[in-house]
Amino acid sequence: MEFGVGSILDGKVTGITKFGAFVALPEGRSGLVHISEIAYSYVSEVSEYLKEGQAIKVKVIGIDQNNRINLSIKQVAPPPARNGGGGHGGGGKDRPQRTGGSRGSSFVPRPAPPKEPADFEDRLKQFMQSSDSKLSELRYIEKKGGSRRGNRR
């Protein structure tokens, strides 16, 4: 059974790392589900969502030049419904909000609800989450060719 990008497969979690989970696939192959492809919500610890030996459905979202297989769990199911109202209701907690930019790549971070961390551990965790979020945005913008000056080489 040959599979390509877009295929939905049954797999089994074989290893968990801080950046994702390795999954055994049919034909003795394996792939990686990056932490950003586990759930539609923010994932800080992979082990809170997956366990070794767990059977899961995954979608092949990429195969690179070295035949490494990139997988997604969240793309197997449709995204959760969003509230139609403009208020600060449920879905999309701490997720950047798109604005009507010229190229669709402008992001305005939604302010987090004011919550004073109780101790150093909580403050550090909050800082790390914020930092990861900002780095993800920067990487996304870089992939989309975020510079307006053009790439002259």
Side-chain angles (χ1 to χ4, degrees):
M1 165 189 163
E2 187 62 30
F3 50 86
V5 175
S7 301
I8 295 179
L9 307 166
D10 290 318
K12 185 179 245 182
V13 178
T14 58
I16 293 178
T17 67
K18 67 186 233 178
F19 56 84
F22 290 96
V23 178
L25 300 170
E27 299 177 7
R29 299 187 72 183
S30 65
L32 172 71
V33 178
H34 187 265
I35 192 169
S36 64
E37 291 295 328
I38 291 175
Y40 283 103
S41 60
Y42 179 80
V43 176
S44 61
E45 290 291 326
V46 176
S47 58
E48 292 176 4
Y49 289 81
L50 300 170
K51 303 289 179 226
E52 282 193 41
Q54 180 179 351
I56 56 172
K57 280 202 177 297
V58 291
K59 181 176 183 178
V60 178
I61 57 172
I63 301 175
D64 69 12
Q65 297 165 343
N66 296 326
N67 271 341
R68 291 182 295 199
I69 302 170
N70 299 315
L71 304 168
S72 175
I73 295 171
K74 73 180 185 181
Q75 291 185 29
V76 172
R82 301 184 84 174
N83 285 348
H88 291 285
K93 174 184 159 196
D94 295 336
R95 194 175 303 144
Q97 190 173 3
R98 281 188 191 255
T99 60
S102 60
R103 297 172 67 178
S105 64
S106 298
F107 282 88
V108 177
R110 185 177 295 163
K115 176 189 164 198
E116 255 328 286
D119 60 4
F120 176 76
E121 300 289 326
D122 290 339
R123 287 182 182 201
L124 181 61
K125 185 174 181 180
Q126 188 177 36
F127 170 79
M128 293 301 291
Q129 288 175 345
S130 173
S131 177
D132 287 346
S133 176
K134 289 175 184 175
L135 280 172
S136 295
E137 281 183 35
L138 287 173
R139 288 184 187 128
Y140 176 79
I141 290 170
E142 285 175 359
K143 282 183 184 178
K144 299 289 268 185
S147 174
R148 292 181 186 244
R149 296 181 205 179
N151 297 332
R152 293 183 208 144
R153 289 189 183 182

